[in-house]
Amino acid sequence: QIGCVGVMIEDQVAPKRCGHTRGRTVVDRAEAVARIQAACDARDEIRASGLYGDNDIIILARTDARVLNLDEAITRCQLFREIGADMTFLEAPTSIQEMKQYCAQVDGPKLANMLEGGSTPILSAAQLQDIGYSLAAYPLTLLSSATKAMQHSLQRLLISGGGPLPSDDNSLLSFSDLCTTVGFDNYYQDEERYRIS
């Protein structure tokens, strides 16, 4: 059986925006709570039905109400927990003190969003755990580093006039390593396994 283990429900007004960019707005508190309540009710109905055995779904309740103020964001997270959210995510606290206040005032597991260059201080996993977080997301780390590497390679191609990059350029994987990384070796094994003689 294939499924999902969790779903994040949030209180932003559509269209959804990155939590560290401008222009975010949130629905009022009552609608935010109703969204989370609907998700928790659906989860509880699934649990009660027994259709999925021991499989369960986690409700991650996110608020972007920090755009209003920290107290409102914390209040929403407290309400989300009261109605049954498994985990909360207060997006974009702007200081370590705000992060500590959230963790101290809201029970249960909490997600920290570690977005380099964003509003929230970047802390180590140990620091986050000490404050009270149980999960950390790094949503742009790979995208940002990959984009920078692509820009570097494109600049090198431009400078070289479109010629090949030097063979000693350590910013490139060898073709063999690239093939292994993307799974060609596995494809070749399956090809041999299922080859019709």
Side-chain angles (χ1 to χ4, degrees):
Q1 181 178 352
I2 297 175
C4 75
V5 84
V7 61
M8 181 171 67
I9 307 294
E10 58 186 77
D11 59 4
Q12 274 197 39
V13 172
K16 162 94 176 83
R17 295 175 187 258
C18 169
H20 294 261
T21 58
R22 66 179 184 216
R24 289 176 295 136
T25 56
V26 293
V27 298
D28 65 41
R29 187 188 296 173
E31 183 175 339
V33 170
R35 289 179 180 187
I36 304 305
Q37 185 69 66
C40 291
D41 288 349
R43 177 210 50 214
D44 294 346
E45 290 168 13
I46 290 169
R47 285 178 179 165
S49 74
L51 289 174
Y52 299 100
D54 292 336
N55 295 321
D56 200 0
I57 190 165
I58 301 297
I59 304 299
L60 170 58
R62 169 182 167 156
T63 184
D64 283 80
R66 179 64 189 85
V67 298
L68 303 175
N69 59 67
L70 182 63
D71 288 339
E72 177 63 20
I74 288 174
T75 297
R76 288 182 185 211
C77 287
Q78 291 167 336
L79 291 170
F80 297 162
R81 287 287 294 157
E82 286 175 19
I83 61 175
D86 299 294
M87 178 180 281
T88 59
F89 170 20
L90 190 159
E91 176 63 301
T94 60
S95 68
I96 294 173
Q97 182 54 43
E98 286 190 6
M99 297 167 81
K100 287 179 177 179
Q101 187 176 342
Y102 160 53
C103 289
Q105 293 182 11
V106 178
D107 73 334
K110 288 168 272 303
L111 170 71
N113 194 15
M114 298 287 94
L115 191 145
E116 296 86 355
S119 305
T120 303
I122 303 296
L123 302 178
S124 71
Q127 290 171 306
L128 290 169
Q129 188 172 22
D130 286 345
I131 289 173
Y133 288 97
S134 45
L135 184 65
Y138 299 85
L140 294 183
T141 304
L142 294 179
L143 176 63
S144 181
S145 60
T147 301
K148 185 172 183 174
M150 287 185 262
Q151 289 174 331
H152 171 77
S153 294
L154 289 169
Q155 185 66 29
R156 298 279 311 268
L157 283 172
L158 180 66
I159 290 169
S160 73
L165 297 181
S167 60
D168 64 346
D169 185 334
N170 64 4
S171 67
L172 299 175
L173 286 173
S174 71
F175 185 68
S176 173
D177 288 345
L178 179 63
C179 289
T180 299
T181 300
V182 299
F184 282 179
D185 294 341
N186 295 331
Y187 301 150
Y188 297 148
Q189 289 173 3
D190 286 345
E191 184 178 55
E192 288 304 314
R193 180 178 173 195
Y194 296 105
R195 182 178 302 282
I196 299 173
S197 301

